């Protein structure tokens, strides 16, 4: 019979006791922290390389950027697959294996960007020019920041040899800016087992600095649903010198005016209700009173009207929104056309009953000569991602550490992202992003704008933020 000596040698006593504490407390056992100055240099090289690639849609192809990303994954020994409906527009999916005790987490960025008018750029749009603490170029904040942050997250996790409770899946997708059939829809419809996950981090959020002060971190937990439509007016064609009562342009103009005057009812959900509660807590007294008064019956109508005029973005978060964006009709100045059309960009709150919505729109238009033609929907509605998950709590925790002084606000994005297709499959998705200055948008810098830039140091802080969120969430406990 042998006796096993379980005495802990003095030199190992403190480290072993600390390890045992982590295990007993259920805390993550983390690898050594990365050498962040070296990581920042590597991040810049990768970021500069992909921003310099013209992956605009239309006008470019994602293939060179996908090949660049794959080469990095291969050099790091990270297993990956290429899924391509169109060879010029491939998607890369990589996976770090965990022990399977929890379901996977996705980190995702898209390879494509919107197109550009180079004449409006101070620095060439594909130069990734460094100047004054910024990096300039198309895609710097939509969405090659998320692409590189996600790539660096799996690279650093792989190098650390960290023990993981869940797989970490990296997706570099194509087609987000206008052709999801080659990107996320293709992955969801044809390769779902390769990306099935519990959580996803992608674009759509960000940290806001206003007047030099970090004030909030917006985390997108839901988004509005595109539900576009056309108003079509038909009448009698004729000579412009003879006014006709069924003039399609006249009927269409009145219909558009009636639609714009209609304010669909306010509909709050868990995300927007929490958003306004937390926003009120960090706002000056006058603004706080408005946000807190939204649910006060005798005050809400006046507050909503104020927000419609003065805070249109906030107003759009309250309800399904309607914006006329295009009008077509006529071909000569002296001819009354037989038809005229207006396009409406409608963004519905996630639980909107669209059949009832369009029925009410028809009542508001109140003109039998106007036909409402609904467009097909490529993003299905889905319930907002929950606020009581380990992922959301982790986002809040790391925010407090890396962006002190800010408050995490769950946000309903008024635009659309590819997370909608993942939410429809039950994935809890959260949109994140780097810090930007609120004043930048008024200066003409932003996603889809005529110029785009990112604060260089904030790119590096965002990489660290995402890495710490994922590594702490996925680490073996």
């Amino acid at each position: 019979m042998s006796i096993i000596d379980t005495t802990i040698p003095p030199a190992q006593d403190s480290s072993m006791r600390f390890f045992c504490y982590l295990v007993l407390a259920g805390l993550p056992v983390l690898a050594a922290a990365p050498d962040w100055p070296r990581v920042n240099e590597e991040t810049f090289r990768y970021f500069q390389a992909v921003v310099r690639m013209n992956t605009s849609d239309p006008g470019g192809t994602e293939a060179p950027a996908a090949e660049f990303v794959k080469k990095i994954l291969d050099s790091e020994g990270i297993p990956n697959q290429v899924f391509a409906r169109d060879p010029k527009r491939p998607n890369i999916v990589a996976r770090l294996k965990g022990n399977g005790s929890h379901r996977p987490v996705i980190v995702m960025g898209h390879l494509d960007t919107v197109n550009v008018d180079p004449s409006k750029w101070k620095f060439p749009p594909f130069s990734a020019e460094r100047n004054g603490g910024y990096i300039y170029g198309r895609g710097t904040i939509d969405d090659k920041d998320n692409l590189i942050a996600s790539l660096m997250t799996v690279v650093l996790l792989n190098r650390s040899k960290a023990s993981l409770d869940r797989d970490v899946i990296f997706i570099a997708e194509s087609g987000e800016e206008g052709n999801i059939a080659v990107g996320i829809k293709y992955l969801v419809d044809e390769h779902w087992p390769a990306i099935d996950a519990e959580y996803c981090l992608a674009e759509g959020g960000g940290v806001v600095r206003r007047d030099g002060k970090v004030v909030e971190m917006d985390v997108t937990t839901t988004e509005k649903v595109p539900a576009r439509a056309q108003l079509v007016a038909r009448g009698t064609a004729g000579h412009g010198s003879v006014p006709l009562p069924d003039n399609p342009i006249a009927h269409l103009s009145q219909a558009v005016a009636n639609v714009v005057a209609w304010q669909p009812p306010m509909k709050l959900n868990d995300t927007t209700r929490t958003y306004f509660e937390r926003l009120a807590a960090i706002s000056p007294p006058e603004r706080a009173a408005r946000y807190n008064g939204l649910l006060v019956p005798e005050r809400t109508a006046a507050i909503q009207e104020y927000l419609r005029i003065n805070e249109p973005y906030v107003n759009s978060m309250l309800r399904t929104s309607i914006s006329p964006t295009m009008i077509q009709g006529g071909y000569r100045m002296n001819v009354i056309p037989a038809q005229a059309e207006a396009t409406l960009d409608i963004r519905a709150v996630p639980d909107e009953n669209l059949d009832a919505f369009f029925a009410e729109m028809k009542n508001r238009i109140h003109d039998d000569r106007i036909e409402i033609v609904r467009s097909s929907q490529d993003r299905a509605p889905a319930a907002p991602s929950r606020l009581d998950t380990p992922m959301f709590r982790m986002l809040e925790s790391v925010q407090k550490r890396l962006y002190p002084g800010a408050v995490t606000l769950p946000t309903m994005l008024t635009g659309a992202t590819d997370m909608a297709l993942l939410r429809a499959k039950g994935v809890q998705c959260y949109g994140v992003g780097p810090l930007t200055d609120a004043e930048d948008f008024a200066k003409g810098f932003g996603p889809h704008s005529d110029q785009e830039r990112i604060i260089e140091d904030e790119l590096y802080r965002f990489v660290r933020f995402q890495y710490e969120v994922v590594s702490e969430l996925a680490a073996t406990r």
Side-chain angles (χ1 to χ4, degrees), residues 55-325:
T55 58
S56 55
D57 180 15
T61 170
E62 293 96 334
E67 292 168 4
F68 177 79
V69 168
K70 180 171 173 53
K71 184 177 179 180
I72 294 169
L73 294 169
D74 289 343
S75 69
E76 297 288 337
I78 300 174
N80 63 87
Q81 296 173 280
V82 179
F83 298 113
R85 173 165 282 168
D86 179 345
K88 294 181 179 180
R89 313 198 70 179
N91 306 276
I92 309 293
V93 178
R95 182 184 293 258
L96 299 180
K97 293 293 291 183
N99 62 30
S101 59
H102 294 282
R103 295 183 60 216
V105 56
I106 294 170
V107 288
M108 182 169 76
H110 60 84
L111 297 157
D112 60 322
T113 71
V114 294
N115 53 354
V116 299
D117 179 353
S119 67
K120 296 181 178 179
W121 288 69
K122 179 179 179 181
F123 299 100
F126 303 110
S127 66
E129 181 78 24
R130 271 170 144 171
N131 187 279
Y134 295 92
I135 304 171
Y136 289 80
R138 176 60 87 213
T140 49
I141 57 173
D142 184 17
D143 179 42
K144 292 176 178 177
D145 51 340
N146 274 276
L147 175 70
I148 295 303
S150 299
L151 174 63
M152 291 305 299
T153 293
V154 293
V155 165
L156 296 175
L157 278 173
N158 184 61
R159 289 176 186 172
S160 74
K161 308 300 181 186
S163 177
L164 304 174
D165 271 356
R166 61 177 85 231
D167 293 0
V168 178
I169 301 170
F170 164 68
I171 301 176
E173 52 157 343
S174 291
E176 194 277 342
E177 295 293 1
N179 191 356
I180 63 173
V182 302
I184 195 65
K185 190 173 190 305
Y186 172 60
L187 292 176
V188 168
D189 291 348
E190 305 293 335
H191 299 285
W192 180 245
I195 64 171
D196 186 8
E198 182 176 11
Y199 299 121
C200 174
L201 292 180
E203 66 174 335
V207 180
V208 178
R209 184 170 63 188
R210 186 174 290 110
D211 298 325
K213 181 182 178 182
V214 180
V215 292
E216 66 192 65
M217 181 176 79
D218 297 331
V219 176
T220 300
T221 54
T222 189
E223 58 192 63
K224 299 177 88 172
V225 181
R228 298 177 178 93
Q230 284 188 311
L231 303 183
V232 180
R234 297 179 178 88
T236 305
H239 198 290
S241 65
V242 181
L244 299 174
D246 63 351
N247 185 315
I249 291 179
H251 281 263
L252 181 67
S253 299
Q254 186 59 57
V256 170
N258 289 347
V259 167
V260 170
W262 174 37
Q263 276 265 80
M266 179 176 72
K267 292 187 177 182
L268 297 181
N269 53 45
D270 286 346
T271 289
T272 50
R273 190 174 293 105
T274 304
Y275 173 84
F276 285 110
E277 289 172 356
R278 295 189 180 187
L279 184 61
I282 62 172
S283 296
E286 187 176 354
R287 291 181 64 194
R290 279 196 292 272
Y291 302 143
N292 286 327
L294 280 168
L295 295 178
V296 179
E298 60 270 23
R299 298 184 57 203
T300 185
I303 291 172
Q304 290 182 54
E305 178 62 14
Y306 176 91
L307 295 175
R308 185 183 72 84
I309 301 299
N310 298 284
E311 298 184 43
Y313 177 78
V314 171
N315 178 62
S316 185
M317 290 180 64
L318 294 174
R319 56 179 42 85
T320 294
S321 60
I322 310 167
S323 294
T325 53

